[in-house]
Amino acid sequence: MKRNLILSLAAILGIMLMAQMSFAQGSVQPQTQTKKTKRVQQQQQTIMPPPKMYADVETEELPYKLSAALSLSYEQNAEENSDGIRGRGLGLYFAPKFEYYDFSIRAELFYGYDLNQPSEGSDWADGVVSLLYKGWKLSAIKISPYTSVELPLSKESRENREIELVNNLGVLVALDTKDLNVPDLSLSYSVAYGYYTNKYTTRVNGEPATEYKIVQTVKAGYNFNPVSVSVKFKFTSSYSYEDVVRSGFFLQENISYEVNDTLGFSLYHYNAAPFLKDATYENNLQTYDRETSTVGVSTDLSF
């Protein structure tokens, strides 16, 4: 019996010893894996450190903006006139613009070089400096008042008409086509009253000088990107000191191709003439006229 008891105790001790060894091995393996995992994590942190966090910085838009448009053009009469002459010329147009909050100031200058008679026909056109207020919005209509000053740079204004200044006050009404879900369409109408400051009430050629004028302008266009088309119609009524009324119109059609935000090309036609014919006083309003229609091409730069 004692022998059996001793064998039983020996078996129990063997089982306990084996269990302790198994437990010891199982406890050591997780510790080894934990150290290995920590070592890998430390290596990853060394190779790819966590990104630094910076506080958000708000950038405010500048309250002013300076831009400009430059155009180089070639023009000629659509046909030879009744005298057998076809006018040809080069043009340089420059329009700098300065915007400050809701106001914008723009200047327009144009110099024409006559290829037929460079010494006589080449001349500056009258310059314009305008101030426009952003205005107000009523539903889909934007109303913007503006004022401008015309500078007598042309030979006709300086020597024959002897104009000192022309002061204009007008309003621009434009359709906000974005609200109508047609952002590529543009449509506007403007009317302005201009008062002349002249040296004399008559011109050098004896005709009565203009005291004031009313100018109405309609513009419409559509952008097909990168091609756009536009039409401009301007009607001017001039009133002299002797109540003589002169009326004239300017009608232009334009097709433009935009290469990028800076460079573009245009093909255009315009007809500018008195509203009434000199001899018969008939209506002279027409899109095309052999005597006065002009076609041209231009390279347009914006910066």
Side-chain angles (χ1 to χ4, degrees):
M1 183 176 180
K2 291 182 178 180
R3 183 179 178 182
N4 293 333
L5 180 61
I6 292 172
L7 292 174
S8 299
L9 291 174
I12 294 173
L13 290 173
I15 294 172
M16 292 178 64
L17 180 60
M18 293 177 63
Q20 184 176 3
M21 292 177 64
S22 300
F23 179 77
Q25 291 178 358
S27 61
V28 170
Q29 185 175 1
Q31 291 179 359
T32 305
Q33 292 177 352
T34 303
K35 290 181 180 180
K36 184 178 180 180
T37 303
K38 289 183 178 180
R39 186 167 59 253
V40 172
Q41 291 177 350
Q42 290 176 356
Q43 292 177 355
Q44 290 177 347
Q45 291 178 356
T46 303
I47 298 174
M48 298 179 62
K52 296 181 180 180
M53 303 301 293
Y54 297 95
D56 293 336
V57 179
E58 296 183 359
T59 57
E60 297 182 357
E61 294 184 359
L62 296 176
Y64 61 88
K65 179 181 178 181
L66 182 62
S67 60
L70 180 67
S71 181
L72 304 174
S73 61
Y74 168 80
E75 296 182 353
Q76 69 175 33
N77 293 131
E79 297 183 41
E80 293 183 355
N81 58 24
S82 56
D83 296 330
I85 299 175
R86 171 176 285 183
R88 299 178 301 116
L90 301 176
L92 174 62
Y93 172 81
F94 180 61
K97 184 179 180 181
F98 177 75
E99 300 177 61
Y100 186 75
Y101 288 106
D102 293 338
F103 294 88
S104 62
I105 300 176
R106 180 176 180 174
E108 295 181 77
L109 301 172
F110 180 82
Y111 182 80
Y113 182 81
D114 194 327
L115 293 174
N116 293 347
Q117 297 177 323
S119 59
E120 298 180 8
S122 303
D123 193 14
W124 287 93
D126 292 338
V128 180
V129 179
S130 58
L131 173 64
L132 175 71
Y133 176 62
K134 185 177 180 180
W136 312 273
K137 185 176 179 181
L138 301 176
S139 184
I141 298 177
K142 295 188 294 185
I143 302 176
S144 305
Y146 67 91
T147 182
S148 65
V149 176
E150 298 180 26
L151 307 175
L153 302 180
S154 66
K155 183 178 180 180
E156 171 68 17
S157 296
R158 295 191 318 269
E159 298 182 2
N160 181 30
R161 303 173 67 180
E162 297 183 314
I163 300 173
E164 295 180 347
L165 280 179
V166 183
N167 303 285
N168 300 294
L169 183 63
V171 60
L172 172 65
V173 180
L175 188 65
D176 191 348
T177 55
K178 292 182 180 179
D179 288 353
L180 303 177
N181 296 323
V182 281
D184 294 326
L185 175 68
S186 62
L187 181 63
S188 66
Y189 167 80
S190 65
V191 57
Y193 169 84
Y195 180 77
Y196 285 73
T197 302
N198 304 307
K199 292 182 179 180
Y200 307 101
T201 57
T202 58
R203 300 177 180 178
V204 174
N205 59 9
E207 296 180 355
T210 302
E211 184 179 10
Y212 65 93
K213 65 178 179 179
I214 298 175
V215 182
Q216 302 179 74
T217 306
V218 178
K219 296 180 182 179
Y222 197 88
N223 184 15
F224 296 96
N225 193 20
V227 178
S228 62
V229 294
S230 62
V231 177
K232 177 181 179 181
F233 177 76
K234 181 167 67 174
F235 185 80
T236 304
S237 299
S238 302
Y239 301 84
S240 70
Y241 291 96
E242 300 178 3
D243 295 330
V244 176
V245 182
R246 303 183 183 92
S247 298
F249 71 92
F250 175 89
L251 177 61
Q252 179 177 353
E253 307 87 27
N254 188 85
I255 300 177
S256 299
Y257 175 77
E258 184 178 290
V259 179
N260 50 45
D261 293 338
T262 303
L263 177 63
F265 301 96
S266 297
L267 174 65
Y268 58 90
H269 160 266
Y270 66 84
N271 184 23
F275 181 68
L276 300 176
K277 296 181 180 180
D278 294 335
T280 60
Y281 294 99
E282 295 177 345
N283 189 341
N284 192 38
L285 180 60
Q286 49 191 340
T287 303
Y288 180 85
D289 183 84
R290 175 183 175 182
E291 300 291 332
T292 54
S293 284
T294 302
V295 294
V297 293
S298 65
T299 300
D300 310 314
L301 301 174
S302 301
F303 47 90

